[in-house]
């Protein structure tokens, strides 16, 4: 897995297999894979620390979009921001992707203390006022043709609550994102399950 999906030059993972376009969701998945591989002793401490150091260094030096957040898309080959067409440029941000990344950054920070300070520095670079409102709702954004950011409430039931957990791990209020508004229920095999 690690040999197949990691770009040697940058140390970043591919998005989908063979794709050089990555999101923060992909970065979070790579962090999860690193942590699990270390716990299962699939990779040794030296390889884990080398890979983690490269990734956290990139998180500390990567370009942020115009509102001070990680962009929706980056190139795994260059580490630079990409627009929605996969060309150099800005694409906005995804609160859902950032929430998932924050979960795994918190796990790394708490479990692998050698990386804690660098993880803290990376997260402290981000301007969270554009991703959460004062009630704790999550907002994603995209960039219009005129270069202005358009914000929207992001996330469906389940995914929204999962991502909100990442923000709450870092001390943010996420009341609105954790609520189950407009939920219906369906019975499947005698179990009552919510859906939106």
């Amino acid at each position: 897995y690690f040999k197949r999906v990691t770009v040697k030059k940058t140390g970043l993972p591919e998005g989908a297999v063979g794709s050089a376009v990555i999101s923060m969701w992909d970065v979070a998945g790579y962090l999860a894979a690193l942590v699990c591989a270390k716990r299962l002793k699939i990779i040794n401490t030296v390889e884990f620390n080398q890979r983690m150091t490269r990734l956290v260094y990139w998180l500390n030096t990567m370009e942020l979009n115009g509102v001070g957040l990680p962009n929706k898309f980056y190139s795994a080959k260059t580490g630079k921001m990409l627009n929605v067409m996969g060309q150099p440029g800005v694409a906005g941000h995804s609160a859902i992707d950032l929430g998932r990344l924050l979960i795994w950054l918190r796990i790394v920070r708490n479990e692998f203390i050698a990386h804690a300070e660098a993880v803290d520095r990376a997260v402290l670079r981000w301007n969270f006022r554009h991703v959460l409102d004062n009630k704790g709702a999550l907002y994603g954004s995209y960039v219009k043709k005129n270069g202005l950011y358009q914000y929207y409430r992001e996330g469906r039931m389940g995914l929204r609550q999962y991502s909100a957990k990442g923000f709450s791990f870092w001390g943010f209020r996420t009341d609105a994102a954790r609520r189950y508004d407009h939920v219906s229920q369906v019975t499947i095999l005698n179990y009552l399950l919510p859906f939106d």
Side-chain angles (χ1 to χ4, degrees):
Y1 167 81
F2 291 109
K3 288 176 184 171
R4 186 170 52 91
V5 304
T6 308
V7 177
K8 249 185 181 171
K9 180 181 171 190
T10 61
L12 295 172
E14 293 179 344
V17 175
S19 172
V21 178
I22 61 169
S23 66
M24 292 301 105
W25 187 272
D26 300 318
V27 173
Y30 182 63
L31 278 172
L34 281 173
V35 168
C36 293
K38 174 69 173 84
R39 288 176 180 171
L40 294 169
K41 299 181 178 164
I42 293 170
I43 60 173
N44 62 33
T45 301
V46 172
E47 183 176 359
F48 172 83
N49 284 329
Q50 287 173 342
R51 288 177 177 277
M52 188 61 68
T53 298
R54 285 189 83 185
L55 183 61
V56 174
Y57 174 79
W58 177 74
L59 288 169
N60 272 283
T61 58
M62 69 180 181
E63 299 171 273
L64 299 177
N65 66 24
V67 295
L69 287 165
N71 198 43
K72 275 188 186 178
F73 306 110
Y74 287 85
S75 167
K77 291 181 180 177
T78 65
K80 302 291 184 186
M81 290 193 298
L82 299 174
N83 63 23
V84 295
M85 302 303 289
Q87 301 300 315
V90 181
H93 68 269
S94 169
I96 299 298
D97 290 7
L98 291 176
R100 182 176 191 227
L101 180 60
L102 287 170
I103 289 170
W104 284 99
L105 285 173
R106 192 64 180 190
I107 290 168
V108 168
R109 184 201 181 282
N110 291 353
E111 191 170 330
F112 304 99
I113 201 71
H115 301 284
E117 185 180 336
V119 167
D120 284 345
R121 277 195 317 269
V123 173
L124 287 171
R125 295 178 63 216
W126 304 348
N127 183 352
F128 288 97
R129 69 187 175 103
H130 294 286
V131 74
L132 284 164
D133 68 11
N134 61 356
K135 294 180 182 172
L138 299 176
Y139 285 87
S141 75
Y142 62 90
V143 180
K144 290 180 166 182
K145 288 187 191 240
N146 59 8
L148 297 175
Y149 284 80
Q150 180 69 45
Y151 297 94
Y152 59 94
R153 281 186 87 159
E154 191 176 19
R156 307 266 320 194
M157 187 188 73
L159 197 54
R160 186 177 63 239
Q161 288 79 10
Y162 169 68
S163 296
K165 199 64 154 167
F167 289 95
S168 68
F169 283 167
W170 291 86
F172 292 98
R173 181 179 170 197
T174 58
D175 299 344
R178 288 184 290 128
R179 289 185 17 219
Y180 287 90
D181 294 5
H182 310 293
V183 173
S184 298
Q185 294 184 329
V186 63
T187 303
I188 299 176
L189 300 175
N190 295 324
Y191 288 97
L192 199 57
L193 301 173
F195 70 94
D196 65 1

